[in-house]
C-alpha cells in the first residue's frame, strides 16, 4: 500500500510524514523491486525498520482500542436503558413476577428455554440458578454456553433462573427477597409433579448466603444446594489475605453505608460495591485488563465487550436492604452463629438445613476465600459428630487458582467442577450425613469404562474438624477484635442517625440523587467514551481503515518485547503497592482493635465468649434426637435382605478412606435387582436410616444381619455377597481396614445360610447309637466353624454342596442331640460371629 496516497494515514503521521512513509516503502519489499536490499543499506541492523513497524502497529492498536472503548460505552448506555437488562445467554419466559407477590420484590422466576436440539427429561430433578445481586445486573450464571445453566441443560434437567430488576420495590427487605425465593421454589415443585426430587438450587456469591437463609427457614422446598464463592463467615480469614474483611473496621462501621443510602435518597448505588471489588486488584483494574485488550485487540474485542456488558451493568439496592446486610452479615457476622431472627420471631439457624450443601470455593479468591466460605461449619458445630446429629451432609471443594468470578464464570471451571457437581447430585443426595471433601481427577479408562460418563471422576473423602481447620485457620484472638468493630459500628451508626441523618435527608431530593449516581466515576468512565462524546465521531471511520490495512508486528520485535517487559514491570509495581497497602491496613486494624482499653470501653475486655460463641442445641432438637434414637433402636432387627445389604455396604465403606461416584453408579444400576420400583427419595431414606442405625449401635446392628437375611437361600446369599463385591470393586481395591470389615460381613452372611432339616432315623443298635452320637457331637460344630471362615468363591460349587449335604444327612434326630453337643453348637455360633482373616485366623472387630 502507498501510504503517501492515503489521506487518513497521512493525518496520523507526525511532521516527518514523508520520511516515515519512505521508510515504510523500504520496509515493504513488494512495493519497490530490491526494496529490502536498499533498506538494508540504510539500516544494516534493522533497528529503524523494527522501530517503524512497532510505531505503526502501536498506532493501529491505539485506534482499534479506542474504538472498542467507544463500543463499550454505547453498549453500556443501551444496556442501562433497558427495562430488564440481563446478560443471560438463553431464551427465557417469565413465570412469576415478584412485584405481584403479597410482599413485592424486584425478583422474578424465569423458565429457561433450551437451545434447539437440546432434549429435556421432565423426570429429572429441576435445576434452579439464583443470580447474585451485589452491584451487577443478572445473568452471570447463564452468561456462556459452558455455564452453570448450560451444564444443567446439556444434562437434560429442566432449568429455571431467579433474576432481578435494576431498581428495588419501595420498602423491600432482605426477608422479603428470601420469602420470594421460597415462593418461586414452591412453584417449581408444583410444575413437576412427575418427580419426587426437590429442585437443586445454585447460589453464586451473594445469592449463596441468601438461599441458605431461605433453606434454614423452609428446608422442605430445597433439594441439594450448591453455593459457589458465597461468604457465610465474615470474620474468618488468613492473616495476609482477605483484605476485605477489614473494610468495616477501617471505615468505623456501617454508618458510611447509611450515609451513602441517604445521599441516594434511600437507594444504594451498586457502583460503589463494584468500585470496592476493583480496588482489591489495582493492577488488573487500572492496567492489566486494559493492556490485555490493547495487546490483543485483533482477537479480544468480542470477549472483552461481552464481559463488560455484565461488569458495567450496575444496579441499585434498597437502603434498608444494604444496611441489613452490612450490619448483620459483614460487620455483625450473625448468620453463621444463628443470631438472626426474622420480623415474626423465627430464628435463622443454618443447622435446620436438611438438604446436602456443596460449598465450592477457591484459594485464589480474594473476595470469598475458603475461610469465609467454610468458617460457618466451625461456627455452628462442635465436631463432625454434631453435623451427623443434625442429619446434615456438607461437601466442600477447594479450587487452587481461579478467582472469585472464575468460580461461576470460567468455562473451564463449568466444564469440570460444575459438570461433576451437577451430574453427581443424586449421589451427593444419598451420601450419609457428615463432612466430606471432594477431589476431581481425570478419569482413567479401563475395565470400568462404562462407569465413566465424563472426562473426570468425583471422589468423596470423609473429613474431621482437624482437617477442616487447615482451610478455616480460625484464630480466637481475632474474634474479640471483630466483635469490637461490631460494637463501635453500632455506636457510630447511632450517632450518625442522631446528628447527621436528619440534615442529609432534609436536603436530598430524588433529582439530586439521580444526578449523583450518574456522576459516579465508574459510570462516567463508560459514558465519556461513547457516541455521545463528539470527539469520538472519527473513531469508527479510522478503525475501519485500520482493519482493512492492518500491519501487526510479531512478538520477537525488539520494541514489542520492550513493551511487554514494561507492562510486566508496571503490573509488578502495582501489585507491590497493593501488598503494602493491604499489609499496612491489616496491621493498623489489628493494633487499633486489639487495644485492651478500646475493648474495655465497649464492654468486651475479659469476655471469654465475646460475640461469636457457638450456638447451643435447642431443647426441642435434643428431644427430637432422643425420639429418633428410640425409633431407630426398634428398627435394628426389622427389615429385609435389602436392608441387610445396605447396612453392610455402609459399614464397609464407612471404614474406607474415600469413595467415588462409581460405587453409586453400580449400586444405582443394581438397585432395581434388589428392590424393583424403589424411588430415589426412598433409596435416600433407606441409606440414611441404615447409617444412623450403625452409628447408634453398631454391634447390635451387625449381629442382626442374620435375622434380616432369614429365609434367604444359599443362592440368594451368594448373590448378595457377589453384589457387594461388585459395588466395592468399582473404585478399586478395598483398603486393609475395609477388607477386614468385608470379611466380617461375609461371616455374618454365612450364619444366615439355611440348613436342611434333620431326619428322624431308627436306631439300629445301642452301640451304633452311641457311636453315632459321639460322631455327631464332633461334627455338629464343624459346619459352624467352617461357616465363619470367609468363602474363597462367591458361588457354592457342586462338590462343596454335596459334601455339606452328606454332613447334614449323617446327623441324628433332635432327641438324640445331647446337652453337650448343644453347648458346643452355641460356642461355635459365637465363634462364627467373630471376623476371621483370609487364613482363617480369628480377629477381633476393628475399632473405629
Amino acid at each position: 500500500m502507498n501510504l503517501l496516497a492515503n489521506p487518513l494515514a497521512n493525518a496520523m503521521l507526525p511532521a516527518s510524514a514523508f520520511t516515515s512513509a519512505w521508510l515504510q516503502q523500504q520496509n515493504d519489499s513488494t512495493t519497490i523491486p530490491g526494496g529490502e536490499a536498499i533498506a538494508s543499506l540504510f539500516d544494516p541492523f534493522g533497528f529503524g525498520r523494527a522501530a517503524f513497524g512497532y510505531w505503526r502497529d502501536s498506532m493501529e492498536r491505539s485506534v482499534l482500542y479506542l474504538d472498542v472503548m467507544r463500543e463499550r460505552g454505547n453498549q453500556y448506555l443501551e444496556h442501562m436503558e433497558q427495562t430488564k437488562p440481563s446478560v443471560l445467554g438463553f431464551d427465557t419466559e417469565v413465570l412469576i413476577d415478584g412485584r405481584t407477590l403479597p410482599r413485592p420484590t424486584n425478583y422474578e422466576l424465569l423458565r429457561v428455554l433450551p437451545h434447539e436440539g437440546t432434549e429435556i427429561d421432565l423426570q429429572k430433578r429441576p435445576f434452579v440458578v439464583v443470580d447474585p445481586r451485589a452491584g451487577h445486573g443478572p445473568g452471570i450464571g447463564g452468561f456462556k454456553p459452558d455455564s452453570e445453566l448450560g451444564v444443567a441443560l446439556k444434562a437434560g434437567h429442566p432449568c429455571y433462573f431467579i433474576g432481578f430488576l435494576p431498581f428495588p420495590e419501595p420498602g423491600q427487605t432482605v426477608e422479603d427477597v428470601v420469602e420470594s425465593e421460597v415462593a418461586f421454589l414452591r412453584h417449581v415443585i408444583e410444575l413437576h409433579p412427575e418427580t419426587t426430587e426437590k429442585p437443586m438450587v445454585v447460589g453464586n456469591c451473594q445469592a449463596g448466603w441468601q438461599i441458605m437463609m431461605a433453606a434454614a427457614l423452609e428446608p422442605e422446598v430445597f433439594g441439594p444446594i450448591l453455593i459457589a464463592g458465597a461468604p457465610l463467615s465474615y470474620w474468618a480469614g488468613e492473616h495476609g489475605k482477605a483484605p476485605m474483611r477489614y473494610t468495616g473496621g477501617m471505615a468505623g462501621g456501617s454508618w458510611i453505608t447509611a450515609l451513602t443510602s441517604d445521599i441516594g435518597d434511600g437507594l444504594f448505588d451498586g457502583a460503589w460495591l463494584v468500585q470496592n471489588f476493583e480496588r482489591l486488584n489495582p493492577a488488573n483494574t487500572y492496567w492489566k485488563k486494559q493492556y490485555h485488550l490493547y495487546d490483543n485487540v485483533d482477537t479480544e474485542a468480542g470477549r472483552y465487550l461481552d464481559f463488560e456488558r455484565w461488569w458495567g451493568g450496575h444496579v441499585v439496592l434498597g437502603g434498608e436492604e444494604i444496611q441489613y446486610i452490612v450490619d448483620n452479615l459483614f460487620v455483625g457476622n450473625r448468620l453463621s452463629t444463628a443470631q438472626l431472627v426474622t420480623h415474626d420471631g423465627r430464628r435463622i439457624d443454618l443447622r435446620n438445613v436438611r438438604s446436602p450443601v456443596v460449598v465450592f470455593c477457591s484459594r485464589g479468591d480474594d473476595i470469598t476465600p475458603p475461610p469465609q466460605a467454610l468458617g460457618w461449619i466451625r461456627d455452628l458445630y462442635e465436631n463432625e459428630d454434631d453435623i451427623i446429629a443434625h442429619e446434615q451432609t456438607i461437601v466442600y471443594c477447594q479450587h487452587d487458582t481461579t478467582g472469585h468470578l472464575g468460580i461461576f464464570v470460567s468455562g473451564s471451571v463449568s466444564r469440570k467442577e460444575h459438570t461433576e457437581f451437577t451430574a453427581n447430585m443424586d449421589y451427593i443426595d444419598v451420601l450419609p450425613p457428615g463432612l466430606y471433601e471432594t477431589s476431581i481427577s481425570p478419569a482413567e479408562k479401563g475395565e470400568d469404562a462404562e462407569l465413566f460418563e465424563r472426562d473426570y471422576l468425583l471422589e468423596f473423602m470423609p473429613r474431621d474438624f482437624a482437617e477442616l481447620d487447615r482451610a478455616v485457620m480460625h484464630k480466637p484472638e481475632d474474634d474479640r477484635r471483630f466483635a469490637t468493630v461490631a460494637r463501635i459500628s453500632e455506636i457510630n451508626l447511632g450517632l450518625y442517625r442522631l446528628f447527621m441523618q436528619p440534615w442529609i435527608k432534609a436536603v436530598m431530593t430524588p433529582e439530586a440523587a439521580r444526578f449523583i449516581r450518574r456522576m459516579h466515576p465508574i459510570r462516567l468512565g463508560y459514558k465519556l467514551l461513547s457516541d455521545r462524546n463528539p470527539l469520538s465521531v472519527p473513531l469508527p471511520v479510522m478503525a475501519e481503515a485500520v482493519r482493512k490495512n492492518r500491519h501487526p508486528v510479531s512478538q520477537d520485535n525488539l520494541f514489542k518485547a520492550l513493551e511487554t517487559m514494561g507492562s510486566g514491570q508496571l503490573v509488578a509495581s502495582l501489585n507491590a503497592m497493593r501488598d503494602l497497602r493491604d499489609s499496612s491496613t491489616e496491621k493498623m486494624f489489628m493494633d487499633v482493635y486489639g487495644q485492651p482499653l478500646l475493648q474495655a470501653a465497649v464492654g468486651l475486655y475479659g469476655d471469654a465468649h465475646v460475640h461469636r460463641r457457638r450456638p447451643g442445641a435447642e431443647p426441642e432438637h435434643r428431644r427430637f434426637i432422643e425420639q429418633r434414637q428410640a425409633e431407630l433402636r426398634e428398627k435394628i432387627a426389622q427389615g429385609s435382605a435389602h436392608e441387610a445389604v445396605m447396612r453392610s455396604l455402609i459399614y464397609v465403606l464407612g471404614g474406607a478412606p474415600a469413595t467415588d461416584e462409581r460405587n453409586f453408579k453400580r449400586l444405582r444400576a443394581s438397585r432395581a435387582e434388589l428392590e424393583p420400583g424403589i424411588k430415589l427419595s426412598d433409596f435416600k431414606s433407606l441409606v440414611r436410616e441404615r447409617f444412623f442405625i450403625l452409628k447408634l449401635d453398631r454391634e447390635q446392628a451387625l449381629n442382626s444381619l442374620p435375622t434380616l437375611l432369614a429365609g434367604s437361600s444359599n443362592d440368594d446369599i451368594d448373590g448378595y455377597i457377589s453384589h457387594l463385591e461388585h459395588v466395592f470393586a468399582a473404585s478399586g481395591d478395598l483398603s486393609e481396614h475395609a477388607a477386614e470389615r468385608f470379611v466380617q460381613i461375609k461371616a455374618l452372611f454365612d450364619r444366615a445360610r439355611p440348613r436342611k432339616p434333620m431326619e428322624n432315623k431308627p436306631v439300629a443298635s445301642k452301640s451304633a447309637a452311641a457311636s453315632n452320637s459321639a460322631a455327631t457331637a464332633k461334627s455338629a460344630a464343624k459346619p459352624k466353624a467352617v461357616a465363619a471362615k470367609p468363602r474363597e468363591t462367591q458361588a457354592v460349587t457342586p462338590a462343596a454342596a454335596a459334601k455339606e449335604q452328606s454332613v447334614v444327612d449323617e446327623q441324628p434326630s433332635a432327641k438324640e442331640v445331647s446337652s453337650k453337643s448343644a453347648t458346643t453348637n452355641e460356642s461355635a455360633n459365637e465363634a462364627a460371629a467373630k471376623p476371621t482373616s483370609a487364613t482363617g485366623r480369628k480377629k477381633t472387630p476393628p475399632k473405629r
Side-chain angles (χ1 to χ4, degrees):
M1 170 188 176
N2 190 342
L3 288 181
L4 296 179
N6 190 329
L8 177 59
N10 289 333
M12 296 167 53
L13 296 176
S16 56
F18 290 97
T19 304
S20 300
W22 181 82
L23 286 174
Q24 179 190 359
Q25 289 179 337
Q26 309 313 309
N27 190 41
D28 190 354
S29 59
T30 62
T31 304
I32 301 176
E36 185 66 27
I38 297 175
S40 301
L41 179 64
F42 288 94
D43 184 22
F45 298 102
F47 288 111
R49 284 170 290 173
F52 178 79
Y54 169 74
W55 171 84
R56 180 177 56 186
D57 174 62
S58 63
M59 291 295 293
E60 292 174 350
R61 281 187 290 151
S62 299
V63 172
L64 296 177
Y65 172 82
L66 290 175
D67 189 58
V68 173
M69 292 294 100
R70 178 190 63 84
E71 292 184 30
R72 184 188 75 157
N74 293 339
Q75 176 180 268
Y76 169 80
L77 294 172
E78 179 184 355
H79 187 75
M80 297 306 296
E81 289 173 357
Q82 295 177 0
T83 306
K84 297 181 179 181
S86 177
V87 296
L88 198 62
F90 299 89
D91 294 331
T92 59
E93 60 176 343
V94 178
L95 298 180
I96 298 181
D97 191 332
R99 294 174 293 183
T100 64
L101 296 175
R103 295 165 63 178
T105 63
N106 65 330
Y107 280 70
E108 56 185 8
L109 173 65
L110 308 175
R111 188 203 307 270
V112 180
L113 305 177
H115 293 313
E116 186 177 356
T118 303
E119 296 184 1
I120 301 300
D121 185 359
L122 296 179
Q123 299 294 328
K124 288 191 173 183
R125 185 194 303 271
F127 191 95
V128 182
V129 173
V130 186
D131 237 24
R133 184 162 158 254
H136 302 97
I140 195 64
F143 179 53
K144 299 178 179 179
D146 288 328
S147 60
E148 295 163 337
L149 277 178
V151 166
L153 286 171
K154 289 179 182 178
H157 292 271
C159 293
Y160 300 87
F161 186 82
I162 298 179
F164 48 87
L165 303 177
F167 288 88
E169 289 296 292
Q172 176 178 310
T173 66
V174 173
E175 291 181 25
D176 295 337
V177 173
V178 169
E179 293 295 338
S180 297
E181 292 173 347
V182 171
F184 294 158
L185 290 176
R186 292 188 188 279
H187 186 69
V188 170
I189 294 173
E190 293 174 358
L191 292 176
H192 295 274
E194 65 279 354
T195 177
T196 59
E197 305 305 320
K198 298 297 190 300
M200 173 183 170
V201 185
V202 179
N204 300 317
C205 188
Q206 172 269 344
W209 58 257
Q210 199 165 272
I211 65 171
M212 288 293 286
M213 291 175 62
L217 292 173
E218 303 289 345
E220 74 279 358
V221 301
F222 282 83
I225 298 172
L226 170 61
I227 51 177
L232 291 172
S233 184
Y234 301 87
W235 292 1
E238 180 184 2
H239 285 187
K241 297 182 179 179
M244 284 196 73
R245 67 178 182 148
Y246 307 120
T247 303
M250 301 312 297
S254 65
W255 72 272
I256 193 70
T257 304
L259 173 63
T260 307
S261 299
D262 292 337
I263 292 176
D265 193 37
L267 297 177
F268 184 90
D269 189 0
W272 293 108
L273 297 177
V274 177
Q275 188 176 65
N276 288 337
F277 296 154
E278 291 186 342
R279 285 176 178 171
L280 284 174
N281 193 349
N284 183 71
T285 300
Y286 302 120
W287 179 258
K288 192 175 180 180
K289 180 173 69 172
Q290 305 301 329
Y291 174 73
H292 183 71
L293 171 64
Y294 172 75
D295 187 33
N296 304 275
V297 70
D298 298 303
T299 57
E300 282 293 305
R303 187 202 62 82
Y304 178 86
L305 289 173
D306 285 343
F307 180 77
E308 285 295 310
R309 188 161 62 97
W310 175 75
W311 187 254
H314 311 123
V315 297
V316 176
L317 291 82
E320 188 174 352
E321 284 183 286
I322 192 65
Q323 196 66 42
Y324 179 97
I325 294 170
V326 174
D327 285 338
N328 293 296
L329 305 181
F330 296 161
V331 175
N333 194 46
R334 297 188 178 103
L335 177 59
S336 68
T337 50
Q339 297 180 70
L340 286 180
V341 180
T342 64
H343 72 284
D344 55 355
R346 293 180 295 168
R347 182 175 297 277
I348 302 176
D349 189 344
L350 298 183
R351 295 175 298 177
N352 294 334
V353 178
R354 289 293 170 263
S355 305
V357 179
V358 180
V359 182
F360 184 31
C361 54
S362 174
R363 299 180 183 91
D365 184 356
D366 55 356
I367 294 177
T368 307
Q372 292 190 5
L374 301 172
W376 65 279
I377 305 173
R378 200 185 185 286
D379 292 346
L380 286 173
Y381 304 99
E382 295 182 5
N383 48 44
E384 57 274 13
D385 289 335
D386 196 14
I387 297 177
I388 295 174
H390 284 82
E391 300 188 21
Q392 284 199 311
T393 302
I394 302 175
V395 180
Y396 66 93
C397 177
Q398 299 183 80
H399 197 277
D400 291 328
T401 58
T402 190
H404 181 70
L405 293 178
I407 292 177
F408 40 88
V409 175
S410 172
S412 60
V413 172
S414 292
R415 286 189 296 269
K416 184 179 178 183
E417 280 80 5
H418 284 289
T419 298
E420 289 300 316
F421 292 143
T422 302
N424 288 281
M425 269 303 160
D426 284 346
Y427 182 24
I428 295 173
D429 204 10
V430 300
L431 274 178
L435 181 65
Y436 303 87
E437 183 178 8
T438 66
S439 65
I440 300 177
S441 57
E444 299 178 359
K445 305 297 183 181
E447 297 179 358
D448 300 325
E450 74 280 357
L451 300 177
F452 296 99
E453 299 175 3
R454 295 164 308 280
D455 296 330
Y456 297 94
L457 179 68
L458 192 64
E459 186 176 22
F460 298 85
M461 295 155 287
R463 290 289 184 248
D464 55 30
F465 268 41
E467 294 165 312
L468 177 67
D469 281 341
R470 297 172 190 168
V472 176
M473 293 173 284
H474 175 239
K475 294 179 175 56
E477 62 273 13
D478 287 350
D479 291 348
R480 188 173 288 106
R481 292 186 172 97
F482 285 100
T484 303
V485 172
R487 292 282 179 86
I488 292 178
S489 175
E490 294 172 358
I491 295 171
N492 289 341
L493 180 60
L495 293 174
Y496 167 77
R497 286 174 171 169
L498 178 63
F499 294 107
M500 292 184 62
Q501 190 176 59
W503 294 97
I504 295 177
K505 285 189 173 182
V507 300
M508 188 55 58
T509 63
E511 292 75 15
R514 193 177 302 111
F515 176 78
I516 292 174
R517 280 198 299 271
R518 290 176 177 176
M519 296 303 293
H520 192 283
I522 291 184
R523 295 179 185 271
L524 280 178
Y526 288 88
K527 293 178 181 178
L528 291 179
L529 281 172
S530 68
D531 285 342
R532 294 186 183 181
N533 187 341
L535 298 179
S536 66
V537 173
L539 279 177
V541 179
M542 297 170 64
E544 183 63 25
V546 169
R547 292 189 184 97
K548 291 180 179 179
N549 301 278
R550 183 77 171 93
H551 302 86
V553 295
S554 61
Q555 293 294 329
D556 58 0
N557 182 285
L558 173 63
F559 298 95
K560 186 68 170 62
L562 291 175
E563 175 193 295
T564 304
M565 293 172 58
S567 174
Q569 289 295 326
L570 183 57
V571 169
S573 300
L574 291 172
N575 285 338
M577 292 174 59
R578 176 204 60 195
D579 295 341
L580 178 62
R581 178 201 65 187
D582 292 345
S583 61
S584 301
T585 301
E586 181 179 73
K587 187 176 187 307
M588 183 180 298
F589 179 92
M590 295 296 175
D591 290 345
V592 170
Y593 291 101
Q595 290 293 325
L597 181 61
L598 181 62
Q599 294 174 356
V602 296
L604 288 175
Y605 187 73
D607 186 354
H609 301 289
V610 295
H611 193 62
R612 188 182 170 170
R613 54 178 174 267
R614 180 178 292 110
E618 300 291 341
E620 57 269 20
H621 179 68
R622 294 175 181 173
R623 289 192 293 270
F624 168 77
I625 292 179
E626 293 174 358
Q627 181 182 358
R628 179 68 170 154
Q629 289 177 347
E631 294 174 355
L632 291 175
R633 287 187 187 278
E634 296 178 357
K635 295 182 178 181
I636 289 180
Q638 299 177 3
S640 61
H642 194 185
E643 279 77 6
V645 172
M646 185 58 61
R647 193 179 298 181
S648 304
L649 178 70
I650 296 173
Y651 175 64
V652 174
L653 290 181
T659 182
D660 58 51
E661 57 185 280
R662 290 174 292 180
N663 297 113
F664 177 67
K665 285 184 174 62
R666 278 193 167 164
L667 187 62
R668 182 175 58 183
S670 58
R671 185 179 65 193
E673 301 175 6
L674 293 175
E675 190 167 338
I678 187 173
K679 298 179 181 179
L680 183 61
S681 56
D682 297 333
F683 183 62
K684 173 184 176 181
S685 300
L686 175 66
V687 171
R688 288 177 172 258
E689 191 171 85
R690 298 307 109 185
F691 172 81
F692 281 118
I693 286 176
L694 281 166
K695 192 75 176 177
L696 180 64
D697 193 338
R698 184 174 66 181
E699 183 177 355
Q700 187 177 354
L702 293 177
N703 290 334
S704 299
L705 290 179
T707 304
L708 300 179
L709 293 168
S712 300
S713 65
N714 281 328
D715 291 339
D716 292 336
I717 293 176
D718 289 335
Y720 298 148
I721 295 177
S722 177
H723 169 75
L724 289 172
E725 287 185 335
H726 188 63
V727 173
F728 296 146
S731 56
D733 296 334
L734 290 174
S735 65
E736 181 179 357
H737 188 49
E740 291 177 355
R741 291 190 171 200
F742 192 27
V743 169
Q744 183 182 0
I745 291 297
K746 289 180 180 179
L748 292 168
F749 274 49
D750 284 343
R751 283 182 55 186
R753 293 183 180 277
R755 302 300 179 191
K756 184 176 180 180
M758 293 177 293
E759 299 178 0
N760 295 327
K761 295 183 179 182
V763 180
S765 63
K766 183 176 181 180
S767 59
S771 176
N772 288 340
S773 177
T776 302
K778 182 178 179 181
S779 63
K782 186 175 181 181
K784 301 288 184 180
V786 172
K789 185 176 180 180
R791 294 173 175 266
E792 298 297 329
T793 60
Q794 296 307 308
V796 180
T797 61
K803 183 178 180 181
E804 185 176 356
Q805 183 66 34
S806 65
V807 172
V808 175
D809 290 340
E810 292 175 0
Q811 294 181 357
S813 64
K815 294 182 180 179
E816 297 173 344
V817 179
S818 64
S819 60
K820 181 177 179 180
S821 64
T823 304
T824 304
N825 287 340
E826 292 177 1
S827 301
N829 288 338
E830 294 178 359
K834 297 181 180 180
T836 58
S837 64
T839 59
R841 185 177 300 172
K842 298 177 181 178
K843 293 187 178 181
T844 58
K847 294 183 179 180
R848 194 170 181 176

